[in-house]
Amino acid sequence: MIRRYKVEVTTNNTGWVSVRVPAVPGVHAEAHTHEQALQFAATSVISHLKSTAASGGQIPDSDVDAIVVDV
């Protein structure tokens, strides 16, 4: 199943990039680069959603429309 979630990305004054996923409470990732922070967040979301599904919980619906391209 494919889900797409809006993320909130911030960078603090020391350069750390933080990612929060509002539709999936409790998921937060930090890294030195934007790309790495997004990768960590994606891994955390997958883990969280698998755990939620395994325990009978409901997986949040996608909250954005998006396209992904690789040029």
Side-chain angles (χ1 to χ4, degrees), residues 27-70:
V27 171
H28 177 117
E30 291 184 331
H32 289 289
T33 68
H34 186 266
E35 181 179 284
Q36 201 174 40
L38 290 174
Q39 289 173 349
F40 291 165
T43 300
S44 294
V45 167
I46 290 167
S47 176
H48 180 82
L49 295 182
K50 284 182 177 183
S51 175
T52 298
S55 65
Q58 186 172 353
I59 302 297
D61 290 330
S62 296
D63 63 359
V64 299
D65 291 324
I67 61 169
V68 176
V69 297
D70 184 8

Side-chain angles (χ1 to χ4, degrees), residues 2-30:
I2 295 175
R3 294 286 193 260
R4 291 176 176 90
Y5 299 112
K6 179 176 21 181
V7 296
E8 295 175 356
V9 181
T10 56
T11 303
N12 70 15
N13 60 354
T14 62
W16 279 89
V17 179
S18 296
V19 177
R20 197 173 76 80
V21 184
V24 187
V27 171
H28 177 117
E30 291 184 331

